Amino acid sequence: QFEHQGATLPADRVIVSEKENFAKAIGNVLLVTSDGNRITSNEMEYDGNTQKGVARKNVVLNDSKGTIIKTETLYYDRISNKAFYNTGGTINDGKSTMWTQAATYFVDSKMNEFTGNYTIDNAQYRVEGKNIKQYQSTNTADFFGPTKITNKQKPSNYVYTENGKYLMNQKEVYLNKNS
């Protein structure tokens, strides 16, 4: 087990270089940060100097606020408290499930930034498009590319825009370009 500034990293096998302040964990890896975030994977590398890590193979991040990220490779920065993946993955916040090839999750603000194609599903709507910032704490989304919001009960009811804002709680959409 490796410990660093309140974080623990147990695994089946942990290789630590105290001189380099570096650890590599293999098999049943669990990183628990001092603020309660948990990352499980099959392997992980962590650099104590930069406080950055990379988890690989069957990666699951559970943040202390209830968001779950699943992907194959996850980069995690403890200083900025953000996670990034570009190997495809899902993010579930308990209300919506989001899929995208690449995303950055800002743990403190609960903001997801999706670059490229994405899909967001909730009980009522499916949102599909390119490039979005989704704010879980306010349940809003800003669109920065072609985006379609479809009513799941009545798919003929949809909205298209290339730039806009979606206030999910109020069920309001602001369309700003080619709508």
Side-chain angles (χ1 to χ4, degrees), residues 145-157:
T147 302
K148 183 178 177 182
I149 304 170
T150 305
N151 181 311
K152 288 172 128 181
Q153 302 300 318
K154 206 170 182 186
S156 61
N157 287 352

Side-chain angles (χ1 to χ4, degrees), residues 54-74:
V54 59
R56 292 183 184 89
K57 301 179 185 170
N58 300 313
V59 180
V60 178
L61 179 148
N62 291 281
D63 81 4
S64 59
K65 299 171 184 173
T67 297
I68 300 169
I69 298 175
K70 294 180 180 180
T71 187
E72 282 302 304
T73 302
L74 182 76

Side-chain angles (χ1 to χ4, degrees), residues 70-120:
K70 294 180 180 180
T71 187
E72 282 302 304
T73 302
L74 182 76
Y75 301 89
Y76 189 76
D77 184 330
R78 286 189 63 211
I79 293 171
S80 62
N81 212 14
K82 66 181 178 181
F84 167 79
Y85 65 83
N86 59 7
T87 54
T90 60
I91 300 174
N92 188 306
D93 65 1
K95 298 176 208 159
S96 300
T97 300
M98 298 146 262
W99 181 91
T100 186
Q101 186 63 32
T104 302
Y105 175 57
F106 298 83
V107 177
D108 293 332
S109 63
K110 292 189 66 115
M111 191 265 285
N112 298 303
E113 185 172 8
F114 301 146
T115 50
N117 294 333
Y118 66 86
T119 301
I120 301 173

Side-chain angles (χ1 to χ4, degrees), residues 13-14 16 27 35 38 45 53 64 72 79 83 89-90 98 101 104 109 112-113 124 127 134 139 153 155 160-161:
R13 183 171 174 216
V14 180
V16 178
D35 53 2
R38 301 167 60 90
E45 294 176 2
S64 59
E72 282 302 304
I79 293 171
T90 60
M98 298 146 262
Q101 186 63 32
T104 302
S109 63
N112 298 303
E113 185 172 8
Q124 291 183 293
V127 182
Q134 194 255 356
N139 218 17
Q153 302 300 318
Y160 176 85
T161 190

